[in-house]
C-alpha cells in the first residue's frame, strides 16, 4: 500500500483499510455520488465499529453485500485515492485472496433493486456534464428573462450550443457509462451510441420510416437525448461481445471480437432493443405524467414526502426518468421535488438546532442544516434527522406539503441541475413559473421549520 501522506484523503483511506481488514480483503470497490461502496472478501474481518468512527465518514450502511460509507460529494476524490493507495486497477476491482471457510456468500439484491442500481450506474457518471449543461441553460434563461441579451443574439446562440450539448448527445454519455457497467471497453459503448445517432436513422430521407435488413425491419427513430434505448443496446452488444471474446484466440480478439459482436448485435438492438427502450421511456413518462396530472397534489405530496427516505436507503434511478421527461416533454415535474425536500430538511434541522443548548451538537445541526440549501442533505439526514427521528418526520411532512403545493401551482423545471439554491435559474421561462417556485420554496422551508419546532422539546 502507498504512503498515506502522499494523498489528500490518505488518512481516511488508510483508516478504512485498517477497519475492513486490509487491501487483501477488498473484493470490489466503486462509488456513487455520495458513497464509497466496498465489497469485502470476508465479512468477518470487518470491524464495523471502527469503520463507523472514522473521521470524514458520516454513516456506514450495509446492503446487498456492500459496505456503503457515506462520505458526501468528495467521494470521487476519496475513491481515486483509495484506488491509488491499494494499487487497484481502473474500474475498482482488486484480486481477492483465496476463499476460506470464513467467507460468506455475497447477498444478491432483488430484481427491482438491481434494475435501479443498473440504471443509476449508467446515468450517474454523466451527471457532471449534464448538471453543467443544465446550469448553463439556466443562465441563458436568466439572461434572456432579464432582457440583457435577445434570444436570437450570437452570444445566446453560442451559449445554447454549450448548454444543449450534453443533452443532444446524451446517448454518447450514457453509452460510455453503460459500457463500464456491463464490463466492456468504453469505446464500444460510444460506438453503439454513434450507431443510434447516425444520420441514416437520425435524419432519414423524406418519406423513409424504416430500413429492411433481411428478416429485420429497422425503424428510423431519432434517439437524440435518449437514455433507455442506448442502455439496452449496450447491454445486448455486451452479451455477444463477452461470449465471442471468451472463445476468441487472444491474438485475434482486437480484430474479430468487436466486429463480430457488432455484426450480430447491431440489427438486434436497432430493430428491437432500442425501439423497446424508446417505448419504455414513453410509457414511463406517460405514466408519471398521468399520475401527476390526475392526482397532482396527492402525487406531489407522496413523492416529495418520501424523498428523504430514498436518499437514506440509497434508492437511485430517478434522474433517468427526469432526463427523459426533459427530452420528451421539454420540462420536468419530478426533479423539483428533490429541491423542495432539501429545503424541508434544512428547515427541520435548523428548527431542531434552536432547541439545543450551545455546543458541538448545536453547531453541527446549524452547519448541516444550512448546507442543505445547496442541495447536500446527507450530513443533515444521517447526522441529525435520522438519529433524532422528529426532524426527519418534520422534513417529510414539510416536503409533502410543498410537493402538493407545487402541483397545485404547476411548478416545473426546464433543465437538469443539482437540486439546490443555485438551480433556481432553470425554472425561468418568461411566465410566472419562477414566482411560483419561490412560493413553494418558502412553503417547504417554513412548514418543516414550524413542524419541527413544535415536535422537538427544548434541551434541558
Amino acid at each position: 500500500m502507498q504512503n498515506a501522506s502522499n494523498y489528500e484523503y490518505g488518512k481516511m483511506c488508510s483508516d478504512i483499510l485498517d477497519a475492513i481488514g486490509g487491501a487483501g480483503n477488498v473484493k470490489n470497490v466503486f462509488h456513487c455520488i455520495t458513497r464509497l461502496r466496498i465489497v469485502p472478501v470476508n465479512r468477518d474481518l470487518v470491524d464495523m465499529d471502527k469503520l463507523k468512527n472514522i473521521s470524514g465518514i458520516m454513516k456506514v450502511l450495509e446492503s446487498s453485500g456492500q459496505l456503503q460509507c457515506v462520505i458526501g460529494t468528495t467521494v470521487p476524490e476519496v475513491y481515486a485515492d483509495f484506488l491509488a493507495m491499494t494499487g487497484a486497477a481502473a474500474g475498482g476491482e482488486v484480486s481477492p485472496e483465496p476463499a476460506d471457510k470464513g467467507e460468506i456468500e455475497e447477498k444478491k439484491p432483488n430484481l427491482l433493486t438491481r434494475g435501479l442500481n443498473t440504471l443509476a450506474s449508467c446515468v450517474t457518471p454523466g451527471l457532471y456534464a449534464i448538471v453543467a449543461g443544465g446550469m448553463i441553460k439556466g443562465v441563458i434563461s436568466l439572461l434572456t428573462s432579464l432582457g440583457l441579451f435577445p434570444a436570437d443574439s450570437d452570444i445566446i446562440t453560442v451559449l445554447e450550443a454549450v448548454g444543449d450539448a450534453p443533452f443532444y448527445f446524451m446517448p454518447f454519455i450514457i453509452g460510455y457509462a453503460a459500457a463500464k457497467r456491463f464490463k466492456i471497453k468504453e469505446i464500444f459503448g460510444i460506438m453503439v451510441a454513434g450507431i443510434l445517432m447516425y444520420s441514416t436513422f437520425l435524419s432519414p430521407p423524406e418519406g423513409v420510416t424504416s430500413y429492411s435488413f433481411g428478416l429485420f425491419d429497422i425503424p428510423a427513430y431519432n434517439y437524440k437525448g435518449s437514455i433507455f434505448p442506448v442502455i439496452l443496446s449496450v447491454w445486448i452488444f455486451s452479451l455477444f461481445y463477452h461470449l465471442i471474446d471468451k472463445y476468441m484466440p487472444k491474438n485475434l480478439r482486437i480484430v474479430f471480437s468487436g466486429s463480430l459482436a457488432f455484426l450480430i448485435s447491431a440489427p438486434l438492438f436497432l430493430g428491437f432493443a432500442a425501439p423497446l427502450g424508446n417505448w419504455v421511456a414513453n410509457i414511463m413518462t406517460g405514466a408519471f405524467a398521468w399520475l401527476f396530472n390526475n392526482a397532482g397534489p396527492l402525487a406531489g405530496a407522496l413523492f416529495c414526502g418520501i424523498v428523504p427516505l430514498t436518499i437514506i436507503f440509497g434508492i437511485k434511478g430517478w434522474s433517468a426518468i427526469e432526463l427523459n421527461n426533459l427530452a420528451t416533454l421539454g420540462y420536468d415535474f419530478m426533479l423539483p421535488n428533490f429541491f423542495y425536500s432539501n429545503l424541508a430538511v434544512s428547515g427541520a434541522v435548523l428548527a431542531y438546532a434552536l432547541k439545543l443548548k450551545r455546543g458541538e451538537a448545536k453547531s453541527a445541526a446549524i452547519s448541516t442544516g444550512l448546507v442543505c440549501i445547496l442541495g447536500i442533505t446527507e450530513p443533515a439526514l444521517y447526522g441529525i434527522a435520522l438519529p433524532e427521528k422528529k426532524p426527519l418526520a418534520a422534513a417529510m411532512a414539510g416536503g409533502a406539503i410543498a410537493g402538493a403545493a407545487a402541483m397545485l401551482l404547476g411548478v416545473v423545471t426546464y433543465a437538469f441541475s443539482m437540486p439546490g439554491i443555485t438551480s433556481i435559474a432553470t425554472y425561468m421561462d418568461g411566465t410566472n413559473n419562477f414566482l411560483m417556485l419561490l412560493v413553494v420554496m418558502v412553503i417547504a422551508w417554513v412548514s418543516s421549520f414550524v413542524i419541527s419546532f413544535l415536535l422537538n422539546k427544548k434541551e434541558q
Side-chain angles (χ1 to χ4, degrees), residues 237-248:
F237 170 80
S238 71
L239 296 178
F240 288 99
Y241 179 80
H242 286 307
L243 180 63
I244 293 170
D245 199 58
K246 180 179 179 180
Y247 295 102
M248 184 66 63

Side-chain angles (χ1 to χ4, degrees), residues 35 135 158 183 222 267 278 303 320 369 377 391 393 418 442:
R35 304 181 187 191
M135 293 304 296
V158 172
K183 302 187 185 303
N222 185 341
N278 200 52
F303 185 74
T377 57
M418 292 300 289
V442 173

Side-chain angles (χ1 to χ4, degrees), residues 194-205:
I195 294 171
L196 296 179
M197 291 286 287
Y198 196 67
S199 58
T200 298
F201 310 108
L202 190 66
S203 304

Side-chain angles (χ1 to χ4, degrees), residues 210-297:
S210 64
Y211 298 92
S212 178
F213 189 85
L215 300 176
F216 300 95
D217 189 50
I218 297 174
Y221 281 159
N222 185 341
Y223 294 108
K224 176 182 66 178
S226 64
I227 294 175
F228 295 100
V230 70
I231 291 176
L232 285 175
S233 297
V234 173
W235 175 63
I236 291 292
F237 170 80
S238 71
L239 296 178
F240 288 99
Y241 179 80
H242 286 307
L243 180 63
I244 293 170
D245 199 58
K246 180 179 179 180
Y247 295 102
M248 184 66 63
K250 288 186 178 180
N251 58 337
L252 297 178
R253 286 177 178 174
I254 190 172
V255 177
F256 292 108
S257 293
S259 57
L260 288 176
F262 273 114
L263 282 173
I264 299 171
S265 65
L268 292 175
F269 65 68
L270 283 170
F272 296 103
L276 175 63
N278 200 52
W279 179 79
V280 169
N282 291 334
I283 289 296
M284 291 183 67
T285 299
F288 277 103
W290 182 90
L291 179 64
F292 277 80
N293 287 332
N294 290 275

Side-chain angles (χ1 to χ4, degrees), residues 113-418:
T113 301
R114 288 165 61 188
L116 289 173
N117 288 343
T118 297
L119 192 59
S121 65
C122 292
V123 175
T124 299
L127 288 183
Y128 294 97
I130 293 167
V131 169
M135 293 304 296
I136 292 171
K137 288 169 73 69
V139 170
I140 294 170
S141 297
L142 180 62
L143 293 175
T144 54
S145 297
L146 296 177
L148 299 177
F149 295 97
D152 58 352
S153 69
D154 290 348
I155 289 178
I156 296 299
T157 299
V158 172
L159 288 178
E160 284 180 339
V162 177
D164 282 339
F167 300 96
Y168 188 95
F169 295 106
M170 183 80 71
F172 291 98
I173 296 173
I174 302 300
Y176 175 88
K180 294 187 69 173
R181 173 63 180 83
F182 299 125
K183 302 187 185 303
I184 58 175
K185 293 177 176 60
E186 290 86 346
I187 195 65
F188 287 137
I190 294 174
M191 185 172 172
V192 169
I195 294 171
L196 296 179
M197 291 286 287
Y198 196 67
S199 58
T200 298
F201 310 108
L202 190 66
S203 304
E206 187 175 353
V208 175
T209 58
S210 64
Y211 298 92
S212 178
F213 189 85
L215 300 176
F216 300 95
D217 189 50
I218 297 174
Y221 281 159
N222 185 341
Y223 294 108
K224 176 182 66 178
S226 64
I227 294 175
F228 295 100
V230 70
I231 291 176
L232 285 175
S233 297
V234 173
W235 175 63
I236 291 292
F237 170 80
S238 71
L239 296 178
F240 288 99
Y241 179 80
H242 286 307
L243 180 63
I244 293 170
D245 199 58
K246 180 179 179 180
Y247 295 102
M248 184 66 63
K250 288 186 178 180
N251 58 337
L252 297 178
R253 286 177 178 174
I254 190 172
V255 177
F256 292 108
S257 293
S259 57
L260 288 176
F262 273 114
L263 282 173
I264 299 171
S265 65
L268 292 175
F269 65 68
L270 283 170
F272 296 103
L276 175 63
N278 200 52
W279 179 79
V280 169
N282 291 334
I283 289 296
M284 291 183 67
T285 299
F288 277 103
W290 182 90
L291 179 64
F292 277 80
N293 287 332
N294 290 275
L298 179 61
L302 178 62
F303 185 74
C304 194
I306 66 170
V307 165
L309 298 182
T310 69
I311 296 173
I312 290 170
F313 292 109
I315 299 174
K316 308 289 184 179
W318 301 113
S319 53
I321 301 171
E322 294 154 3
L323 289 168
N324 190 71
N325 286 341
L326 289 168
T328 56
L329 303 175
Y331 59 86
D332 175 57
F333 39 77
M334 294 184 67
L335 179 60
N337 287 283
F338 288 86
F339 186 13
Y340 316 144
S341 178
N342 292 345
L343 293 173
V345 174
S346 172
V349 171
L350 289 176
Y352 170 73
L354 292 182
K355 294 299 184 80
L356 298 175
K357 294 188 294 185
R358 290 185 180 275
E360 186 175 338
K362 187 182 185 74
S363 298
I366 293 174
S367 60
T368 58
L370 291 174
V371 169
C372 291
I373 299 175
L374 298 175
I376 304 170
T377 57
E378 284 82 358
L381 286 173
Y382 291 122
I384 307 296
L386 183 60
E388 299 300 329
K389 305 295 189 300
K390 290 180 181 178
L392 176 60
M396 294 177 65
I401 295 170
M407 292 309 300
L408 288 172
L409 297 175
V411 182
V412 296
T413 184
Y414 297 97
F416 193 92
S417 61
M418 292 300 289

